[in-house]
Amino acid sequence: MTSKILVLLIALLPLSSFAGNGDKEKTKKIDIHITLDKKGQVEINGLNGELKELQDEINKALEDVTINVDGAKKKHDIHIKAEIKTK
């Protein structure tokens, strides 16, 4: 399960590299929810603004991805809160 979660987190790395304006440092807070339902389907929620389009693209790419954890007995949630600083 740890390696599968790591793969999901790697898929989210582009979130940390979006461009800023000039030399001013900006901080953007993100609150991401990764849900794995009993059927093994993965969905990402919580992104908004300029990242909403990225969320939609990631979810579209994950449509055919199935991850089975603990024999698909229950739903799993991963909640990530982060601050991204850009210049």
Side-chain angles (χ1 to χ4, degrees):
M1 178 174 164
T2 304
S3 63
K4 292 175 184 177
I5 293 171
L6 183 62
V7 169
L8 288 174
L9 294 176
I10 290 171
L12 295 173
L13 280 177
L15 296 176
S16 65
S17 63
F18 58 91
N21 293 332
D23 291 327
K24 296 180 181 177
E25 188 174 283
K26 290 197 254 180
T27 300
K28 180 154 183 94
K29 293 183 180 184
I30 58 172
D31 189 7
I32 303 170
H33 295 268
I34 303 171
T35 305
L36 178 63
D37 67 12
K38 288 183 179 182
K39 295 179 182 178
Q41 298 291 30
V42 181
E43 183 177 23
I44 296 173
N45 293 305
L47 298 177
N48 53 28
E50 59 195 32
L51 299 177
K52 178 70 173 158
E53 185 177 329
L54 178 60
Q55 172 183 295
D56 294 341
E57 289 179 24
I58 291 171
N59 282 329
K60 186 174 182 178
L62 292 173
E63 282 179 358
D64 295 325
V65 173
T66 303
I67 300 173
N68 289 316
V69 178
D70 71 13
K73 294 179 183 176
K74 61 182 179 178
K75 177 181 168 181
H76 296 274
D77 290 308
I78 300 170
H79 186 194
I80 301 169
K81 283 188 177 184
E83 287 186 13
I84 298 175
K85 292 186 180 182
T86 60
K87 292 185 178 184

